[in-house]
Every structure is written in structure tokens, then in C-alpha cells.
Amino acid sequence: MERGKMAEAESLETSAEHERILREIESTDTACIGPTLRSVYDGEEHGRFMEKLETRIRNHDREIEKMCNFHYQGFVDSITELLKVRGEAQKLKAQQQRNLDNIVLQQPRTGSKKKSKKDGYTIFDMEIESTSPKSEQDSGILDVEDEEDDEEVPGAQDLVDFSPVYRCLHIYSVLGARETFENYYRKQRRKQARLVLQPPSNMHETLDGYRKYFNQIVGFFVVEDHILHTTQGLVNRAYIDELWEMALSKTIAALRTHSSYCSDPNLVLDLKNLIVLFADTLQIYGFPVNQLFDMLLEIRDQYSETLLKKWASIFRNILDSDNYSPIPVTSEEVYKKVVGQFPFQDTELEKQPFPKKFPFSEFVPKVYNQIKEFIYACLKFSEDLHLSSTEVDDMIRKSTNLLLTRTLSNSLQNVIKRKNIGLTELVQIIINTTHLEKSCKYLEEFITNITNVLPETVHTTKLYGTTTFKDARHAAEEEIYTNLNQKIDQFLQLADYDWMTGDLGHKASDYLVDLIAFLRSTFAVFTHLPGKVAQTACMSACKHLATSLMQLLLEAEVRQLTLGALQQFNLDVRECEQFARSGPVPGFQEDTLQLAFIDLRQLLDLFIQWDWSTYLADYGQPNCKYLRVNPVTALTLLEKMKDTSRKNNMFAQFRKNERDKQKLIDTVAKQLRTLISTHHS
């Protein structure tokens, strides 16, 4: 029993010793664990120790597993977040450097400088080639695409092998001739720069020509910038600034020359975007580019000119294809479509049932929308030019004013002055320009909404649309007056008076009846015109008709005429007066329109009534009966009636005393001459 107690004591002692050894193993450096393990194997209980060790290992494994399980989800989330951040960072880096490092740098050689392998290499052996997987077509600095590419974009050092430069610089430095190499390098690179800056003769024909030109320049200066930052003194900032100043002046001169050949506004706009990207790219490398943006303002003027030429063609097509008839609408859908294209409100028209008509023709909404499209096109050029909203607003307004006062005005004038233009078309043009004039305030609002510059702002340019449409309307009005007069002249050419007739007529001449019918139908169309325009046209037509009839009566080719001819002429004048009294156009007061024929009326009354005693007695009095009869006109007509009584039996009612009547004519003629010499000397 005592022996059993002793064995139990030894077992406890051994177990405690094993526990101590395990703690020592857990806390001791692995380099010092050898003596500890040896003490185990020197004893006789190493089997039991191994069991304890395995138990302890399993306990530690469970603890580790618990700890890992506790932190595993957080670990997974952290790794996922890290991968996302890494991807976004790579995308951002790719987007920032895509314009710089994705360029195929192509440098021309100044000559064959390649040496044999034994002689080593110089910088001028290398031709810059892209190792990017993109095609040559996609290597331009404008090819910025929103591609999701997680691959790192290669830098200049990845695209170009700079080792020949470093090798040569090292060799020359070891030989003590570093300065010689520096001078040689800079001299040759200046020569290469001049070749790079020489644009191809057909560069202006396509955007690709400009792109390749810019790629060469960017490639050259990216290489020089890399050399500046990776070598000590091979090039310095002063040398690069000198090269850039030369490059800038030559580039601007080349762009001025080649861009002047461009007549396509889309190509000019693409060129502007290319220049902005070119300037922004080089600005990132520290090169001053303000002169490039100043030059873009010059190209802006050229862009405006190309736009004006393009819109001149657009307006011409719109005006040529218009039918110059009010737009018919048969449904609410069509009505809303037109109102959506052009700001028009008319409560009376809205109340009318379908079908109905807008007062203007198709060219009104089309022209209005094209003006807005022009404004959008102007806005596109101002993007990315670092201009203030006020400058953008001023640019758009000035360009739009040129469109209105020059391009659109000329297009309207050309239509108005066309030889085959009809009165109906001219009337519709007046109506159309009236509505376009009213829409100018909406164009002002349109520009304000785009630029956020209020029209009340100081120095804000006002649109001249009102003036443009007023001028066009006035031109159309003048053309109506001219056109009417020409039509009247055409009818008068049909006049065929028998000036020697002895018969007394009973009705107006056929040509004059047709003329009056034409005037009535014409003025009926004028109902949609502004009142003053219709009245002026009517008065102008009547005055022209009266003047033309007077000239017809007094023309030199009519050497003699009879009283019968005067009677027929009088019937025609009465027909004209009847037309004037009928009020062909509303708005005239009483006999205002009849006054156009007053000169003819008084002259004919004087001769037909043979009332010379009254005329001669009252001449010069403010209230005389024949106030509008000029003695020169009366004498001219009287001379045509001399000596016709005998030949044509003109004074048949005075047959008994023909000589006395002829003598009376001579006496009146003499008195008229005296009157003329007295009052008109």
C-alpha cells in the first residue's frame, strides 16, 4: 500500500514536470528548445509526455479555429472592400493617364544614326513604338473611351526603351565627355523637333491628320519630360521651355493655316475638342498652353462663319420648299405638335372647330427651330474653353445676331426679290415675319436658360431678331407695291384706244374691267395683313393706275384725239372711281381713295364740259373748281385737239360755225400760254 502511494506521488511529480516542460516549450524560442526536449527523452515517461503534447496541440488548434471563425467574416468583408478600392483606383489612374500613356509616339529620324553593336547605341537609333495592344487607329489622344479596363495603363517608360540613352550617358560620363554627349543630344533633338512640327500638306482634310500631328508633338515632349526626370542634367527645364516655345509658335501657325481651309463646322468642332485635349495633356506636364486657348477663340470665329454658311443653305432649303400657305390642322394632335414647335397662342383659334388653319406657313416653326439648333451648335464650341457664363452668353448672342441680321435676312430678301414671286407669297411672308418677330422674346429666354445669364445683366447683347423681321416685312411690303404696279402695267399694255373715234362709248374698256376685277381679288387676300399695309398697297395701286392713265392720255405718240375718245377714256376713269368708292380695303375715310383720281377727274371735266371760262377766271384761287388742273397739262391736251374738227368732225355740234370754234381753241391755247408764262416763268 505504501508502494502504491509512492507510485502515485511519482506520477503526480512526473505530470507536473511534463506540464512545466510544455509551458517552457510554449514560451521559449525555438532555437533554445533542444535541452528541454532532451530532458524528456532522458526520462522514462516520454510516451506519456507525447500524449500530453498531442492533447495540448489539439487544444491550441481548437482555440485557433475559434479565433479564426470569430474574425473570418470581417476578414472576408475587408478583402472584398480592398479589391473594390483597388479596382476603382486602377480605373481612376487609367482614366487620368489614358490620354498620356496610350499614345503611339512616333519620332522622325534626322538621319541614319544607327551604329554597329560594337560601337554601341545612341539615342537617335531609337524609334518610339507603342507596345499597347490597341490598334493604331485607337492610339490618338482623342480616343478617350469609357472602357472598364482593370489592367494598368503603361507609362512612357513601358512604351519606350530608354536604355540606349542611359547607356550612352554612362559611357560618355565614364570617359569624361558627358558635356559632349549632352550637347549632341540636345542638338539632334532640336532637329527632330523641327521635323515633328512640320505638318503634312493635307492635314486639314481629315481629323486623323490633325490627330497624328498632335500625337507626334505630345510624344516628343513626353519623352523629353521623362528624360528630364530620370537623368541628371542631360536636359534641363530651360532647354525644354525653349523647345516648347518654338513648338508652340509653329503649332499655332500651322493650325491657323490649315484650319482656315476647313468649311465643315463638324470638323472644326472636332478639331477644337482635339486642341483642348492636346492643351490639357501638355498642361499636365507643366507646359504653358494659354496661347492655344487664345487661338481657339480665333477658331471660334471661323467656326461661327462655317455655321453661318451651313445655316444659309438650311434656310434656303426651308424657304424654297415652303408652299406659303397657312398650316392646316385636322386634329388636336397636329395642333399640339405645331404649338410645341413654335410658341403661338390664339384663344380664338383654339375655340374654332377642326379643321382649321394657323395663320403662318410651315417655314415659321422650321426657321424658329433651326435658330435654336444654331444656338446649340454655338454652345458646343464654348464647352471646355474655361470661359465664364457671361462670355459664353455674349458669344452665343453675337453669333445668333449674325445669323439673324445677315444669314436669315439675306435668305428672306432673296425670296422676296425672286422674279416669279407672287402677291400671295408676299402676303404670307409678311404674316410669317410678323409671327417670327413676336417669337424673339422666347429666343431670348431660351439663351438665358442655357447660359444662366439674365438679359438685364450689364453689357448683355440684345438679339436683333425684331429688326431683322421688321426689315424683311418692309421689304415684302415694298415688293407688294412694286408687284401690284407691274401687274397694273401689264393690264395697261392691253389698252387699245381709238384716239380718233367719233363715236361716243357706253361702257368701260374690257382691259380696265379685267384690271379692276384683278385688284378686287387681290385686296381680298390682304385681309390677314396688318391694316396699314393693306391700305398703303391699295392707295399705292390707285395712285399708280391714275398716274399711268394720265401718261397714256398725254404721251407724245398720241398726236391727235377726239372728243369721242375722251368720252371713252372718261368711262374708264369712272370705273376706277367706282372701285375706289366700293372700299376694296377697310379703314379709309370717306372719299380718301377717290382722291387718287382727282387730277384725271378735273382734267376730263374741264374738256368734256368745255368750261374754259371758269378755269381761266378762277385760276390761282384756293377754292377754284379745277384746282388740280395744271395749265401745262391742259395746253398739251388742247394741242392734240387742234385742227381735228375739220378732219374728224369733232365739233359736230358746232357745225354752223366751225371756224369760230377753231378760233376759240386757238384763243384758249393763247390764254393758257400767257397763264403759263405768268405763273410758271
Side-chain angles (χ1 to χ4, degrees):
M1 186 173 176
E2 192 172 322
R3 186 181 296 173
K5 289 182 179 180
M6 290 178 62
E8 186 178 349
E10 288 179 2
S11 176
L12 291 172
E13 185 180 348
T14 301
S15 178
E17 179 66 15
H18 287 172
E19 189 67 30
R20 183 190 65 76
I21 292 172
L22 286 172
R23 285 198 300 272
E24 188 174 344
I25 290 173
E26 290 173 342
S27 60
T28 305
D29 193 308
T30 55
C32 306
I33 203 171
T36 303
L37 293 176
R38 180 171 293 179
S39 66
V40 175
Y41 282 97
D42 287 345
E44 297 178 356
E45 301 294 336
H46 64 272
R48 292 180 62 188
F49 176 79
M50 291 301 296
E51 290 176 2
K52 278 200 168 236
L53 180 63
E54 288 179 1
T55 302
R56 182 64 63 90
I57 289 172
R58 283 195 297 272
N59 289 338
H60 280 301
D61 285 342
R62 282 194 293 271
E63 289 296 325
I64 291 172
E65 186 176 357
K66 287 179 182 179
M67 186 68 69
C68 286
N69 287 337
F70 179 76
H71 292 289
Y72 177 72
Q73 188 58 46
F75 172 75
V76 171
D77 293 341
S78 298
I79 291 297
T80 303
E81 187 68 25
L82 180 62
L83 289 174
K84 288 182 179 179
V85 172
R86 178 189 174 193
E88 293 298 325
Q90 287 178 339
K91 289 178 186 178
L92 181 61
K93 181 179 178 182
Q95 185 176 357
Q96 290 175 337
Q97 295 188 354
R98 194 183 302 275
N99 299 341
L100 312 178
D101 300 329
N102 212 25
I103 303 169
V104 176
L105 302 171
Q106 299 176 347
Q107 300 290 330
R109 302 182 181 184
T110 58
S112 179
K113 296 289 180 181
K114 194 168 184 179
K115 299 181 180 179
S116 65
K117 289 186 179 178
K118 347 179 170 172
D119 296 332
Y121 295 90
T122 69
I123 176 61
F124 313 106
D125 302 329
M126 70 178 181
E127 180 165 350
I128 300 174
E129 296 178 350
S130 172
T131 57
S132 169
K134 287 191 174 186
S135 66
E136 182 178 354
Q137 181 181 0
D138 296 330
S139 63
I141 61 176
L142 263 190
D143 299 324
V144 182
E145 299 174 0
D146 295 329
E147 297 176 355
E148 294 190 4
D149 187 0
D150 291 336
E151 294 183 7
E152 187 174 352
V153 178
Q157 69 277 5
D158 302 312
L159 299 173
V160 180
D161 181 12
F162 289 94
S163 60
V165 184
Y166 304 145
R167 194 178 300 120
C168 286
L169 180 61
H170 176 70
I171 293 172
Y172 275 85
S173 298
V174 170
L175 295 175
R178 179 186 175 98
E179 186 177 350
T180 301
F181 179 69
E182 288 177 2
N183 293 335
Y184 179 67
Y185 174 87
R186 296 182 186 185
K187 179 181 178 181
Q188 295 301 319
R189 290 295 279 169
R190 283 191 181 93
K191 290 181 180 179
Q192 288 187 352
R194 290 189 181 93
L195 290 177
V196 164
L197 295 168
Q198 184 65 37
S201 58
N202 62 342
M203 182 173 74
H204 59 275
E205 294 178 357
T206 62
L207 189 65
D208 193 52
Y210 289 105
R211 182 182 290 112
K212 289 179 179 178
Y213 179 63
F214 287 138
N215 285 350
Q216 291 180 170
I217 298 173
V218 172
F220 182 92
F221 283 98
V222 167
V223 167
E224 291 307 289
D225 181 80
H226 187 78
I227 292 294
L228 173 68
H229 290 91
T230 57
T231 63
Q232 295 181 350
L234 181 56
V235 297
N236 55 33
R237 177 52 65 182
Y239 154 79
I240 290 183
D241 288 345
E242 177 193 345
L243 273 182
W244 174 243
E245 187 176 347
M246 176 190 72
L248 195 59
S249 62
K250 288 184 176 294
T251 301
I252 289 175
L255 289 175
R256 279 198 183 112
T257 301
H258 284 269
S259 65
S260 64
Y261 297 137
C262 185
S263 58
D264 180 7
N266 293 328
L267 181 57
V268 177
L269 184 62
D270 288 340
L271 173 59
K272 165 255 169 180
N273 292 330
L274 195 62
I275 294 173
V276 168
L277 202 49
F278 171 71
D280 288 345
T281 300
L282 288 167
Q283 191 173 34
I284 292 174
Y285 283 91
F287 295 102
V289 294
N290 289 339
Q291 292 184 49
L292 284 170
F293 282 100
D294 291 341
M295 187 205 60
L296 279 173
L297 298 182
E298 298 176 20
I299 294 181
R300 178 190 66 187
D301 296 334
Q302 182 194 342
Y303 176 70
S304 180
E305 287 298 319
T306 58
L307 282 182
L308 291 174
K309 290 180 181 177
K310 178 180 178 180
W311 258 261
S313 175
I314 291 173
F315 287 144
R316 184 169 57 250
N317 291 336
I318 290 175
L319 296 176
D320 287 347
S321 62
D322 197 68
N323 61 6
Y324 295 94
S325 299
I327 302 174
V329 281
T330 56
S331 65
E332 186 71 23
E333 183 181 356
V334 178
Y335 187 90
K336 288 182 178 179
K337 180 181 178 182
V338 175
V339 174
Q341 294 173 341
F342 181 74
F344 176 78
Q345 291 180 342
D346 188 336
T347 54
E348 292 298 324
L349 184 62
E350 290 177 3
K351 294 176 182 177
Q352 293 178 15
F354 292 101
K356 50 190 173 183
K357 294 180 179 180
F358 284 98
F360 46 81
S361 68
E362 288 282 357
F363 94 58
V364 170
K366 287 181 179 178
V367 166
Y368 180 81
N369 281 284
Q370 283 303 322
I371 295 173
K372 291 171 65 175
E373 289 297 323
F374 179 87
I375 293 171
Y376 276 128
C378 291
L379 181 66
K380 286 181 182 178
F381 194 92
S382 66
E383 294 172 351
D384 302 320
L385 292 187
H386 314 303
L387 299 174
S388 67
S389 56
T390 304
E391 289 174 312
V392 173
D393 183 85
D394 186 63
M395 182 199 78
I396 290 176
R397 288 176 179 274
K398 286 181 177 178
S399 297
T400 306
N401 275 334
L402 282 176
L403 178 77
L404 294 171
T405 60
R406 196 174 77 186
T407 308
L408 181 55
S409 178
N410 288 344
S411 298
L412 289 170
Q413 294 290 344
N414 289 337
V415 172
I416 292 168
K417 299 295 182 182
R418 278 196 310 219
K419 289 184 178 179
N420 60 344
I421 189 77
L423 286 169
T424 305
E425 288 87 348
L426 290 170
V427 169
Q428 191 62 57
I429 288 174
I430 292 175
I431 296 170
N432 288 354
T433 50
T434 301
H435 287 283
L436 283 171
E437 181 184 342
K438 293 178 181 177
S439 72
C440 287
K441 64 178 181 179
Y442 298 102
L443 291 174
E444 290 270 10
E445 293 175 3
F446 180 71
I447 295 176
T448 299
N449 292 335
I450 288 178
T451 62
N452 293 320
V453 177
L454 296 176
E456 295 80 15
T457 306
V458 181
H459 305 309
T460 299
T461 305
K462 302 299 180 184
L463 289 185
Y464 300 145
T466 301
T467 305
T468 297
F469 297 124
K470 276 185 179 177
D471 291 345
R473 188 165 65 252
H474 292 158
E477 291 169 7
E478 291 296 328
E479 197 64 25
I480 283 180
Y481 309 149
T482 303
N483 196 304
L484 266 176
N485 292 346
Q486 290 174 349
K487 291 289 185 182
I488 291 172
D489 291 341
Q490 291 174 7
F491 278 101
L492 288 172
Q493 289 176 2
L494 301 176
D496 186 20
Y497 287 103
D498 181 3
W499 298 110
M500 302 303 294
T501 183
D503 299 330
L504 298 178
H506 300 287
K507 65 176 183 176
S509 302
D510 292 340
Y511 87 91
L512 195 76
V513 173
D514 293 340
L515 171 57
I516 297 300
F518 163 76
L519 291 177
R520 288 187 188 280
S521 62
T522 298
F523 292 132
V525 179
F526 286 11
T527 52
H528 296 296
L529 283 177
K532 290 184 178 179
V533 177
Q535 292 170 19
T536 304
C538 189
M539 178 59 79
S540 172
C542 288
K543 284 184 176 180
H544 182 73
L545 176 57
T547 302
S548 300
L549 288 173
M550 180 70 80
Q551 291 173 351
L552 193 63
L553 187 63
L554 300 176
E555 65 182 4
E557 293 181 2
V558 182
R559 295 175 181 242
Q560 292 180 331
L561 54 79
T562 64
L563 185 59
L566 278 180
Q567 291 281 9
Q568 180 60 51
F569 198 82
N570 184 55
L571 289 173
D572 292 345
V573 173
R574 287 187 183 281
E575 186 73 17
C576 295
E577 291 172 324
Q578 176 60 34
F579 167 73
R581 280 195 299 272
S582 67
V585 171
F588 284 110
Q589 296 180 353
E590 298 180 356
D591 296 335
T592 303
L593 199 56
Q594 276 184 268
L595 293 177
F597 302 97
I598 190 66
D599 291 9
L600 272 173
R601 171 49 47 215
Q602 291 188 7
L603 180 65
L604 289 172
D605 285 349
L606 174 61
F607 274 82
I608 292 174
Q609 296 175 16
W610 205 249
D611 195 10
W612 292 105
S613 58
T614 303
Y615 176 76
L616 295 171
D618 294 345
Y619 184 80
Q621 300 297 320
N623 296 322
C624 65
K625 183 178 179 180
Y626 302 104
L627 181 65
R628 307 288 300 181
V629 178
N630 188 303
V632 176
T633 304
L635 179 61
T636 302
L637 189 58
L638 191 62
E639 291 287 347
K640 295 177 183 291
M641 300 177 69
K642 284 178 86 174
D643 299 325
T644 58
S645 59
R646 291 190 297 271
K647 296 179 182 178
N648 299 289
N649 203 21
M650 184 183 75
F651 289 103
Q653 67 272 34
F654 304 122
R655 198 180 295 268
K656 294 180 181 179
N657 205 355
E658 291 179 358
R659 290 183 181 179
D660 291 342
K661 300 307 178 185
Q662 183 63 41
K663 188 176 180 180
L664 178 59
I665 293 176
D666 293 337
T667 302
V668 172
K670 184 177 180 181
Q671 289 177 323
L672 286 174
R673 291 190 187 96
T674 304
L675 201 63
I676 293 170
S677 63
T678 303
H679 292 83
H680 300 275
S681 58

